[in-house]
Amino acid sequence: MAYGFLALGQSGRVQIDETYKNARLFTSGYANTQEFFGQRYPISVPIPDNVDAPLVLLRPSAPEVWVGAVRTRPRMSTGGSASVNMEGTGPFYYAIFDTNISPISDGNSFGLRVLTSSGAETFSSNYRYPRISSIHYKPASSALGSGWPVNSPYIYTISGHTFMPWILGNTLVGNNGEGVGDDTEQVPCAYATINSTFTQLKVAKWNQEGAGARNDTVLWNPYGNRDTYFGVARYVE
Amino acid sequence: MSYGLRVWNASGSLRLDTTDFIGRLIQTGQVYIFLNPYSAQFNTVNVSVPGMSNDGTWFVSALGSPVISINNGFFSMTNYNAQSSFFLDPYIFKYAVFRI
């Protein structure tokens, strides 16, 4: 006899089941940052070296605050602990999830807990999960391919949000800046923001500042001739 | 009639709503993306994921911040880490594939 647990959401897709585990929140915070003379400054959050593949959500503190340039860095053989770096034109919240790191727990002794047949946990109401609302495809042939400045961003329509949603940070890539040339060979990064009615996700490439900055060329565009995707979520603190 | 699972914690905080999909972990792994500092700046590796399609229900998180492209049956990771070109070592990217 088949047995287990399966919850289907309104679209008929699987929400949780007894087979696949989920990424859980292990750290979150508020980055009180701002742009200064057109320059954005990275916030660095240390993460455990045994992190698997961190899922990063960013939430602008207000509409039209741009967030992004996410750099998830492993522990390098040349030194330095694992970290997540990110930037914003104003304050923003961040939440980082992983499948391997011990999650933040509410510490409750009751609720819903779903286990696999081998006893591993796939879901617990004690933990917080990235509640993904929508994923939006960006084809390689779109305007994002070669140029998409902040004054002409790529715009996706989103729906169902009555308060500021979270933005999937992993595809808002930033340069990792490892080692030699760290300060002088910066390249464009990706940023996103939400409009005032929470109905638009805007994505743009934002050039870096500084001597030796390599801007505005397809070669240095992270999405030049590549398709990718962007997303929004409803993570609740 | 709406349906689905809605879960609160003991404090009444919503942990899952009927319209939520929290990303089920389908596959994990790591790949080596070599960089040649004397030729192409970016290098790409394809990772096979049975059943994957670009239908808006799949996403990938990765350590190392590669550019991710999702395709039918696989995704690709492009090393967008220019400064690593100064190192001849391979660069290891750990990844996790989720589906909502």
Side-chain angles (χ1 to χ4, degrees), chain B residues 26-76:
Chain B
I26 304 298
Q27 181 174 318
T28 61
Q30 65 180 35
V31 297
Y32 295 82
I33 305 180
F34 291 86
L35 286 172
N36 182 346
Y38 304 108
S39 60
Q41 186 62 55
F42 305 121
N43 287 273
T44 298
V45 167
N46 294 331
V47 178
S48 176
V49 180
M52 178 177 249
S53 67
N54 200 351
D55 60 0
T57 67
W58 297 81
F59 64 96
V60 179
S61 63
L63 191 58
S65 292
V67 174
I68 304 290
S69 297
I70 291 176
N71 301 279
N72 291 329
F74 71 95
F75 71 93
S76 64

Side-chain angles (χ1 to χ4, degrees), chain A residues 8-10 15 17 20-22 51 53 70 72 106 127 131-132 137 175-176 178 185 187-188 219 227-229, chain B residues 3-5 9 15 17-18 20-25 42 54 60-62 64-65 68-69 80 82-83 94:
Chain A
L8 301 179
Q10 287 194 23
Q15 290 182 286
D17 62 18
Y20 300 103
K21 60 181 182 178
N22 310 100
V51 68
V70 174
T72 57
D106 292 338
Y127 305 138
R131 301 162 57 197
I132 306 296
Y137 178 58
N175 186 272
N176 262 329
E178 304 289 354
E185 298 202 31
V187 298
L219 177 63
D227 61 289
T228 188
Y229 58 90
Chain B
Y3 64 94
L5 183 65
N9 73 353
R15 289 290 174 254
D17 206 347
T18 56
D20 289 341
F21 298 92
I22 56 179
R24 296 175 298 140
L25 178 65
F42 305 121
N54 200 351
V60 179
S61 63
S65 292
I68 304 290
S69 297
Y80 177 60
Q83 274 69 45
K94 295 170 72 176

Side-chain angles (χ1 to χ4, degrees), chain A residues 35-117:
Chain A
E35 207 173 34
F36 189 70
F37 286 104
Q39 178 69 58
R40 296 157 300 283
Y41 297 91
I43 303 296
S44 183
V45 177
I47 56 177
D49 289 340
N50 63 332
V51 68
D52 212 351
L55 176 63
V56 181
L57 296 184
L58 306 175
R59 186 186 187 202
S61 60
E64 308 299 339
V65 167
W66 292 81
V67 296
V70 174
R71 285 149 283 188
T72 57
R73 302 170 58 151
R75 180 178 178 83
M76 302 295 290
S77 59
T78 51
S81 298
S83 65
V84 175
N85 290 1
M86 45 216 158
E87 300 176 6
T89 61
F92 62 91
Y93 300 88
Y94 62 85
I96 307 173
F97 306 78
D98 192 65
T99 56
N100 193 42
I101 305 301
S102 296
I104 296 173
S105 173
D106 292 338
N108 299 316
S109 57
F110 63 92
L112 177 66
R113 191 168 179 232
V114 180
L115 306 178
T116 68
S117 58

